[in-house]
Amino acid sequence: DGGITQSPKYLFRKEGQNVTLSCEQNLNHDAMYWYRQDPGQGLRLIYYSQIVNDFQKGDIAEGYSVSREKKESFPLTVTSAQKNPTAFYLCASRLGNGETQYFGPGTRLLVL
Amino acid sequence: SQQGEEDPQALSIQEGENATMNCSYKTSINNLQWYRQNSGRGLVHLILIRSNEREKHSGRLRVTLDTSKKSSSLLITASRAADTASYFCATSQYGSGNTGKLIFGQGTTLQVKP
């Protein structure tokens, strides 16, 4: 069953804590993306990676970090520097020179 | 920065009616895409229209693109309750190379009443 999986579905963060959101794909896609979605808003790009061991900042990278050690995995860490982390986080991937993105089901991050 | 602005923000219609939503953008594009999001879920790609195309159809979906006005519209004909969702336009900016970066609008929330 191919696709993109994100875990957990819900994540709770305590103040000052770093948390990591998982994104895995078995589509053999090259590029992967992390977006943040606030209520009633569109998606804003946090980070993206076009190839293993390489990634670039998006429009709102401050307070976030990523790694791309494997083609199928692109975890996102929300650091304590991100002062307003409550949002819905979406991971997406893209095959080669393809123009469309395929999305995971999302992780909702809440602050305790 | 968000490129697309969508109109209306919310739309409520009866089943069987047509739904039209509009998207405006600011800079030159390679293509414009429409995605659908059911509440609390990920996005699903619906249709893509390239900058040199004016109209495209897919099933009950019809998309138009007017590059002179920097705008696009999505028409859903004969709507069904299952079409209830948020719809987003996303643009691939001209000059973005092969990054695949998309800029999303704020979305139109469609409610189709049975």
Side-chain angles (χ1 to χ4, degrees), chain B residues 13-87:
Chain B
I13 60 174
Q14 294 294 132
E15 207 165 25
E17 293 180 339
N18 295 343
T20 299
M21 49 204 88
N22 305 294
C23 169
S24 61
Y25 57 91
K26 297 174 185 172
T27 63
S28 296
I29 60 172
N30 297 315
N31 65 66
L32 186 145
Q33 306 176 36
W34 287 89
Y35 287 80
R36 166 192 167 128
Q37 182 181 35
N38 284 45
S39 182
R41 309 291 292 273
L43 276 69
V44 175
H45 179 259
L46 295 176
I47 194 166
L48 177 152
I49 187 164
R50 292 194 168 80
S51 60
N52 61 354
E53 297 176 312
R54 292 296 165 259
E55 188 170 312
K56 206 158 183 183
H57 297 253
S58 177
R60 294 184 296 114
L61 304 180
R62 173 179 162 242
V63 170
T64 61
L65 179 65
D66 186 335
T67 53
S68 66
K69 294 181 180 177
K70 292 186 169 59
S71 68
S72 173
S73 67
L74 172 68
L75 169 67
I76 304 173
T77 60
S79 64
R80 305 166 182 168
D83 294 328
T84 295
S86 292
Y87 293 82

Side-chain angles (χ1 to χ4, degrees), chain B residues 94-112:
Chain B
Y94 181 77
S96 61
N98 192 33
T99 64
K101 288 173 62 177
L102 295 176
I103 300 178
F104 286 83
Q106 294 182 322
T108 292
T109 299
L110 173 65
Q111 182 187 33
V112 181

